[in-house]
Amino acid sequence: MGSPDAAVGEVPAEPSAPAEPSAGDRVRLPVQLSRLPADRLAKVHQALLELQEAGLSEVPDLSSLSKVVKKKAGGSNAQLPEEDFTSSYMAMTLWSWTPKRWFDNISDTSGKAAGGASEDAGNGAEDAVPVLDEGKLQASFDKRITQFERWNDQKREQRRFSEVVDVDKFREWFEQMKKNDAELRSFLTMDTSVKQAGDGCSVLFDKLPSAGGPKVLPKVKVGGSTSSGAPMDGPTKANPMPSVVSINLGAESCAAAKTIWQRYLSEHQLDASARPKDGQFYGCSNTLFASSTTGRYIPRSILASYDSATMDALGEAGLFNPATILTGNKPGPSHQSGESDGAFMDEIMDCVRRQLEEADYVEGFMFLHNAAEDACTNGVTSSLLQKLCVEYGKKSKFTFTGMADQGGDASQHAMSGLMMSTLSEYSDLTTFYDRSSLKKVAASKVNGLGISSPDDLTLNGLLARLLSGVTGPMRFGKAMNCNQGFRAASILTLQTNLCCYPRIKYLVPSIGGLVAKGMEDFAVGKANQEVGADACGHALKRGLLCGINPSEGKIIAYSMMCRGVELGSAISKVADLKTDRNYQFVDWSPTGFSIFCYKDPKVTAPEVAVLENTCAVKQLLSTVFNSLAENGVPDEESGRISEVTEDMAALCKDYEEVAAETCDGEDDYEGEEEEY
């Protein structure tokens, strides 16, 4: 009991009998232990008992024992139990701390922030950062450079240039490592004079290169496509593209759906049963298809109509999910009767909810309907758009609306007028087409099919080509190589590019790349011109699928989707259009173009689809407005006629104001204020 070490190391023998010790036999604590507080003395006692249970009777040298324990622990704090981690950040940066600093911060009760330097940081040998001999390091580096230069001289003499070492890259790497070492040392020593970027994260991760000018997204590989934007063969399980739900309303649109989806199947290399021909889905499946457990790809489509014969034919085709083919009982011939068909509407909405539940993320809905077909179906369409806006207001509503021919029946234009009021309020983008324009394109021998009397199947094929072109960048391109960087193609992208004002959202479509039978060898173009350039030119100036004259109105914006076309060819045709005096742009949007080009190895001929936002749409709106004013609507709809005509007149006025020239930006606005 004489020396302190011996006193601490001795383990008292267990008493043989619980006899009461006399006053002379009582054990007195050593002076060193008697000075300890009661709680620490209890810990010492507990430690002695554990040593006794381990079979250790004495500890001759505590300093030697301490060295052995430290050596066994590795001098590291990696043995710190997980429950002692104060945060995930503490666990992540465990390697950059020494045991002394950790325990100093854990036991500190002064209220300092965790991670601060301890009072005696750096005083202990175990807390010191290894000293870097920069002179020795530089000498070693120069020696290595000399060896590399000798090696390169030998390889050049042997003309084995592929084995030459890039000395400049090695120098650059060495300088970067020196910077990283300095930053890491300042981080380990808690040097507050050195400011770190992200708490030393730049040591671990490379920073993105900064560039001047406008911010451009870097070119990255997107799942399912190569860095050039071309689709990759094979399934894409980590699919970044959102889904689109296709909704076909009316007998004509549902009949066209079969042709449209058959084209989708062929483009994605699927057989008639919607299974991959080569065992893998070609392109992006998530956009328009849902995969079943049996390996079949099911269209994300809803088909609803009052025509039972058309719907039975779709069911027999075996292409669509039977639960998405909906047939209603027509309640009446008027627009109002379709709006009040609650049972049919509930059935459609239940199908919409199931489609959204089956998809990871639905970006929007794509409608296909003919506003000049049936007033009752128009009422169902109006009611559905209203309900979707209420329940799914943030999801885009993109409609492809069939209109009556410009010189057609006035009653059909009046029927479309009630639908126009709903589209103006509840749709985000609306594309017009008519059957007469489809027939003209089919009959044309230049950018057409050369069929003088096309049937409905041929016209549906042209409509399928338009929808295929619009959705192609979403299904194949993923990331479009535009003029600056890469941009993901989606419905929201089209909406952003084309819709300048919420009410100015009516589009005119056109297609290019059609070749009539027997006209393959008669295409005239410039020498060494890429074949896709001619398709772009026809899509911009021909191939209109809506019966208006675009030269009578100023152009607001264009979106051109090119499949199998070089970007340079598309840009050159855009430049030609801008220099054509027959086409004028609004002065507040002189550029007005978004171009999506992507390569598809499976395509043998270029395909181009164009959506144009132009003030010439006023021609169609004026025709509908005049038909409403002259012919009116059925008696049960007469209560809405004044509201609809007023809305149509205001819409025509909006297009006039958009097309009006502005001299100095705000001059016209200031003049209006003075008049009021």
Side-chain angles (χ1 to χ4, degrees):
M1 302 290 289
S3 66
D5 290 345
V8 175
E10 292 178 357
V11 179
E14 185 176 353
S16 58
E20 183 71 22
S22 60
D25 296 336
R26 289 179 181 175
V27 180
R28 296 180 58 188
L29 290 174
V31 178
Q32 292 81 358
L33 294 180
S34 62
R35 294 176 180 175
L36 295 176
D39 56 342
R40 297 193 63 182
L41 185 61
K43 292 181 180 179
V44 172
H45 179 256
Q46 182 64 28
L48 293 175
L49 291 178
E50 291 179 1
L51 290 174
Q52 183 181 13
E53 292 177 359
L56 186 65
S57 59
E58 62 179 6
V59 180
D61 189 356
L62 286 180
S63 60
S64 299
L65 178 63
S66 175
K67 293 180 180 180
V68 173
V69 171
K70 285 187 176 182
K71 184 176 181 181
K72 187 174 181 180
S76 169
N77 57 340
Q79 303 297 326
L80 189 66
E82 186 175 355
E83 58 270 14
D84 288 346
F85 290 160
T86 58
S87 65
S88 58
Y89 178 78
M90 172 183 175
M92 182 181 69
T93 58
L94 193 62
W95 56 271
S96 65
W97 289 68
T98 59
K100 188 176 190 305
R101 187 164 296 143
W102 270 124
F103 291 109
D104 284 350
N105 280 274
I106 292 174
S107 60
D108 185 24
T109 58
S110 62
K112 293 189 299 182
S118 54
E119 295 294 335
D120 54 346
N123 294 337
E126 70 279 4
D127 208 24
V129 179
V131 178
L132 177 65
D133 190 345
E134 295 186 4
K136 184 177 180 180
L137 179 63
Q138 185 65 37
S140 178
F141 172 74
D142 294 338
K143 182 179 179 181
R144 180 64 65 179
I145 290 292
T146 304
Q147 293 175 353
F148 283 157
E149 291 176 347
R150 291 175 182 174
W151 169 273
N152 291 344
D153 292 340
Q154 294 176 1
K155 296 304 175 182
R156 290 190 183 99
E157 291 177 358
Q158 300 172 3
R159 304 187 65 83
R160 298 166 66 178
F161 299 103
S162 60
E163 300 180 13
V164 173
V165 179
D166 191 342
V167 179
D168 294 334
K169 285 289 185 182
F170 183 67
R171 294 179 187 275
E172 182 181 348
W173 171 83
F174 179 71
E175 295 299 327
Q176 185 62 41
M177 290 300 103
K178 289 174 64 177
K179 293 179 181 179
N180 292 349
D181 179 78
E183 185 174 355
L184 185 59
R185 286 175 178 277
S186 63
F187 182 61
L188 291 173
T189 57
M190 295 297 175
D191 186 2
T192 58
S193 63
V194 180
K195 300 300 181 182
Q196 329 275 339
D199 291 335
C201 288
S202 60
V203 177
L204 306 177
F205 304 100
D206 293 333
K207 294 181 179 180
L208 290 175
S210 59
K215 297 298 181 182
V216 178
L217 291 176
K219 296 183 178 181
V220 297
K221 287 188 177 181
V222 185
S225 65
T226 62
S227 59
S228 61
M232 293 169 52
D233 290 326
T236 56
K237 293 187 177 180
N239 207 323
M241 296 302 294
S243 301
V244 178
V245 177
S246 176
I247 301 178
N248 297 69
L249 300 173
E252 182 180 304
S253 300
C254 290
K258 181 180 178 181
T259 306
I260 294 170
W261 284 95
Q262 284 176 344
R263 183 180 181 89
Y264 290 158
L265 293 181
S266 64
E267 290 177 347
H268 290 289
Q269 306 300 310
L270 302 177
D271 57 20
S273 63
R275 288 182 171 84
K277 297 178 181 179
D278 301 329
Q280 294 179 339
F281 191 94
Y282 180 72
C284 174
S285 64
N286 195 52
T287 306
L288 294 179
F289 292 91
S291 57
S292 68
T293 56
T294 61
R296 178 172 180 171
Y297 287 89
I298 306 170
R300 299 187 190 274
S301 179
I302 300 173
L303 304 103
S305 175
Y306 290 119
D307 189 347
S308 58
T310 302
M311 308 312 288
D312 292 342
L314 288 176
E316 294 174 359
L319 179 60
F320 304 97
N321 183 354
T324 62
I325 301 176
L326 310 176
T327 306
N329 297 319
K330 193 171 184 178
S334 65
H335 188 101
Q336 185 177 0
S337 60
E339 285 185 328
S340 59
D341 191 356
F344 195 31
M345 183 55 53
D346 292 341
E347 192 175 358
I348 297 175
M349 287 301 298
D350 288 340
C351 194
V352 170
R353 295 186 188 98
R354 287 196 302 270
Q355 290 286 348
L356 267 66
E357 290 172 359
E358 293 172 357
D360 294 332
Y361 168 64
V362 173
E363 184 182 42
F365 305 95
M366 185 175 292
F367 284 78
L368 179 63
H369 69 108
N370 192 339
E373 177 187 2
D374 179 51
C376 186
T377 304
N378 287 351
V380 174
T381 306
S382 299
S383 180
L384 179 59
L385 282 171
Q386 294 177 31
K387 286 184 176 294
L388 291 178
C389 283
V390 172
E391 297 191 21
Y392 310 106
K394 292 186 178 181
K395 299 189 182 301
S396 181
K397 274 73 66 179
F398 189 7
T399 70
F400 287 81
T401 304
M403 301 296 291
D405 300 339
Q406 283 292 85
D409 190 357
S411 61
Q412 291 184 334
H413 286 292
M415 184 193 307
S416 306
L418 296 176
M419 190 69 229
M420 289 293 298
S421 177
T422 302
L423 294 174
S424 175
E425 186 172 357
Y426 298 108
S427 72
D428 296 308
L429 277 179
T430 296
T431 302
F432 293 133
Y433 71 93
D434 60 69
R435 307 293 284 187
S436 177
S437 298
L438 291 174
K439 291 179 181 179
K440 289 181 181 179
V441 173
S444 176
K445 293 184 179 181
V446 179
N447 192 45
L449 302 179
I451 302 175
S452 57
S453 300
D455 55 6
D456 290 340
L457 185 61
T458 302
L459 300 183
N460 291 339
L462 292 176
L463 196 57
R465 179 149 183 163
L466 171 64
L467 293 175
S468 171
V470 173
T471 61
M474 311 175 202
R475 297 181 290 119
F476 293 99
K478 305 294 182 42
M480 301 293 94
N481 50 10
C482 301
N483 292 336
Q484 293 179 343
F486 273 58
R487 184 192 314 169
S490 63
I491 292 181
L492 292 179
T493 304
L494 291 176
Q495 183 177 336
T496 302
N497 293 335
L498 292 171
C499 187
C500 55
Y501 298 107
R503 288 171 60 86
I504 310 300
K505 57 188 175 185
Y506 300 106
L507 312 178
V508 177
S510 62
I511 54 179
L514 298 174
V515 180
K517 187 176 181 180
M519 297 292 294
E520 295 85 357
D521 298 331
F522 295 94
V524 179
K526 298 179 181 179
N528 300 325
Q529 177 178 266
E530 197 246 341
V531 64
D534 194 37
C536 293
H538 287 156
L540 291 172
K541 297 184 179 181
R542 297 175 181 267
L544 286 174
L545 304 182
C546 184
I548 65 172
N549 186 2
S551 62
E552 295 184 4
K554 292 185 178 180
I555 299 171
I556 300 174
Y558 266 104
S559 275
M560 185 162 61
M561 286 68 70
C562 306
R563 185 180 184 188
V565 179
E566 294 292 342
L567 180 61
S569 300
I571 295 177
S572 66
K573 289 302 178 181
V574 169
D576 293 343
L577 181 71
K578 289 186 176 182
T579 57
D580 192 337
R581 294 183 179 273
N582 295 324
Y583 297 87
Q584 293 183 344
F585 286 80
V586 291
D587 57 350
W588 47 267
S589 179
T591 54
F593 270 91
S594 61
I595 304 173
F596 299 116
C597 287
Y598 64 99
K599 286 293 186 180
D600 187 354
K602 303 290 185 180
V603 174
T604 57
E607 299 178 6
V608 181
V610 171
L611 296 179
E612 176 185 356
N613 190 351
T614 172
C615 296
V617 173
K618 183 191 171 185
Q619 302 170 27
L620 179 61
L621 300 178
S622 299
T623 302
V624 174
F625 172 74
N626 295 331
S627 299
L628 282 173
E630 294 174 3
N631 298 278
V633 293
D635 294 337
E636 57 267 27
E637 312 287 357
S638 58
R640 301 176 54 185
I641 187 63
S642 59
E643 178 184 350
V644 173
T645 53
E646 182 180 351
D647 185 62
M648 294 296 295
L651 191 58
C652 292
K653 183 65 175 177
D654 290 341
Y655 272 96
E656 291 178 1
E657 294 177 355
V658 167
E661 295 184 1
T662 56
C663 299
D664 230 357
E666 297 181 356
D667 288 354
D668 294 344
Y669 181 71
E670 293 174 357
E672 290 179 1
E673 286 186 339
E674 292 176 1
E675 291 178 7
Y676 284 102

